[in-house]
Amino acid sequence: MNSNMPLLTGEAKIAGVLGWPVSHSRSPKLHGYWLKQYGIDGAYIPLPVRPEDFPSVLHILPKLGLRGCNVTIPHKEAAASNVDHLDSFAKRVGAVNTIIVRDDGSLEGRNTDGFGFIENLKHGMPGFRFSNGAAVVLGAGGAARAIVAALSDAGVPEIKLINRNLSKAEALARALGGSIHPRPWSDIAAALGGANLLVNTTSLGMTGQPDLDVGLESLPTTALVTDIVYAPLETAFLRKAKERGNPIVDGIGMLLHQARPGFQAWFGVMPTVTPELRAHVLGDL
Ligand code: ATR
């Protein structure tokens, strides 16, 4: 840290996170840490916004002089249809998590969740080769959309997309195109044979939810296993994979890395993810 004094002048750069509720969001803590670390005259604030107010609030942000914002549940899809410019990844995914106010006051929507997911794996397992084999993705909800699109872009040759509700996996595969193969939940064991990567994108395993209980017997022990659930940090699913010898990467890094491009756009510095930042954000989990 450069100083413990908060820097906040009349020229401060302001950004925030829009959600409903937003009190659970760790983004203020995360961006607040970086603002202090880099000695930036700026602030990042939680903005609780009801769904019915979201479009009007969004268009007020440039008038208030905000540099932009993050968007979280339940506004990510509404954000995609209410910004003036959408980057190609956000368009494919149909959801926006990062908004930048351009110099002309227009709103640019991006989706950095896929970037965060891939960066987390690259940092968590240096040298991991996405092109080495198939990925098995469990879940076909909002989080899966960005992850599946990002895995395709990263060169994964085949994605087996497994969801309890098969029609949702089919709809996602149709929407994204490429080599994405929807499979029913009962096909998990067969799908794991020869896989290079296994990802949980469902909410199973999160504190208060049942554990994700899948047999891993047919998964090669060289396959990387990751979970987007980060509370608890080591889910029963990750523990089981680790105990049989698979490399694992936990989910908190996706949250940390997805925040970096927004911070750069609003505050002018591409921040880094360090063990200290991780500990800071995990502090109250
Ligand atoms: P998110 O935006 O976090 O992905 P979501 O859109 O509500 O949240 O998706 C939740 C995912 O967890 C879905 O894939 C859901 O499966 P269904 O589409 O079949 O509902 C999955 N999920 C939740 N509870 C589950 C359970 N008990 N067994 C299997 N999958 C479950």
Side-chain angles (χ1 to χ4, degrees):
M1 295 284 168
N2 292 343
S3 150
N4 285 325
M5 293 289 288
L7 255 179
L8 209 52
T9 73
E11 307 215 328
K13 298 168 177 155
I14 312 293
V17 53
L18 276 64
W20 186 260
V22 81
S23 55
H24 67 280
S25 174
R26 292 193 170 75
S27 294
K29 194 169 181 179
L30 168 55
H31 287 276
Y33 179 95
W34 281 330
L35 286 168
K36 224 163 138 186
Q37 180 187 353
Y38 295 108
I40 290 169
D41 182 13
Y44 182 99
I45 53 178
L47 295 161
V49 177
R50 291 176 193 277
E52 60 270 29
D53 296 329
F54 179 76
S56 53
V57 169
L58 201 56
H59 288 100
I60 287 169
L61 298 182
K63 299 180 191 181
L64 284 170
L66 266 71
R67 314 279 302 189
C69 63
N70 282 125
V71 174
T72 187
I73 293 167
H75 303 314
K76 288 186 175 186
E77 286 81 18
S81 42
N82 278 283
V83 291
D84 305 300
H85 320 275
L86 206 52
D87 81 3
S88 62
F89 189 81
K91 193 179 276 181
R92 261 162 80 206
V93 172
V96 158
N97 73 334
T98 303
I99 295 177
I100 292 137
V101 175
R102 289 189 176 174
D103 290 342
D104 63 1
S106 64
L107 298 170
E108 176 186 329
R110 300 188 193 167
N111 185 312
T112 66
D113 287 330
F115 169 83
F117 176 79
I118 299 291
E119 286 288 297
N120 184 35
L121 295 192
K122 285 185 178 167
H123 284 80
M125 191 179 171
F128 176 72
R129 292 172 63 114
F130 290 91
S131 57
N132 260 7
V136 176
V137 175
L138 306 177
R145 290 185 79 90
I147 288 171
V148 169
L151 286 174
S152 269
D153 292 354
V156 170
E158 183 192 4
I159 298 169
K160 297 173 186 174
L161 182 59
I162 299 185
N163 200 45
R164 178 178 58 176
N165 176 347
L166 180 60
S167 61
K168 265 170 74 178
E170 288 169 343
L172 180 50
R174 264 196 310 276
L176 292 179
S179 193
I180 303 167
H181 299 117
R183 298 263 191 278
W185 197 259
S186 54
D187 275 12
I188 291 182
L192 293 180
N196 183 44
L197 173 68
L198 171 61
V199 188
N200 175 41
T201 77
T202 76
S203 45
L204 293 170
M206 206 181 275
T207 307
Q209 296 273 334
D211 281 336
L212 169 61
D213 188 17
V214 293
L216 299 179
E217 292 73 19
S218 45
L219 183 70
T221 51
T222 50
L224 176 59
V225 179
T226 187
D227 198 331
I228 67 160
V229 171
Y230 58 82
L233 192 57
E234 188 174 276
T235 57
F237 169 68
L238 286 182
R239 195 161 49 247
K240 188 174 187 176
K242 191 168 84 176
E243 279 166 4
R244 67 191 293 280
N246 287 91
I248 62 168
V249 174
D250 66 48
I252 190 72
M254 178 177 175
L255 170 76
L256 305 179
H257 284 283
Q258 63 76 32
R260 294 171 54 216
F263 189 92
Q264 181 182 35
W266 308 318
F267 302 117
V269 176
M270 186 60 154
T272 57
V273 169
T274 58
E276 293 73 26
L277 171 68
R278 209 178 120 93
H280 176 74
V281 174
L282 285 173
D284 55 2
L285 272 184

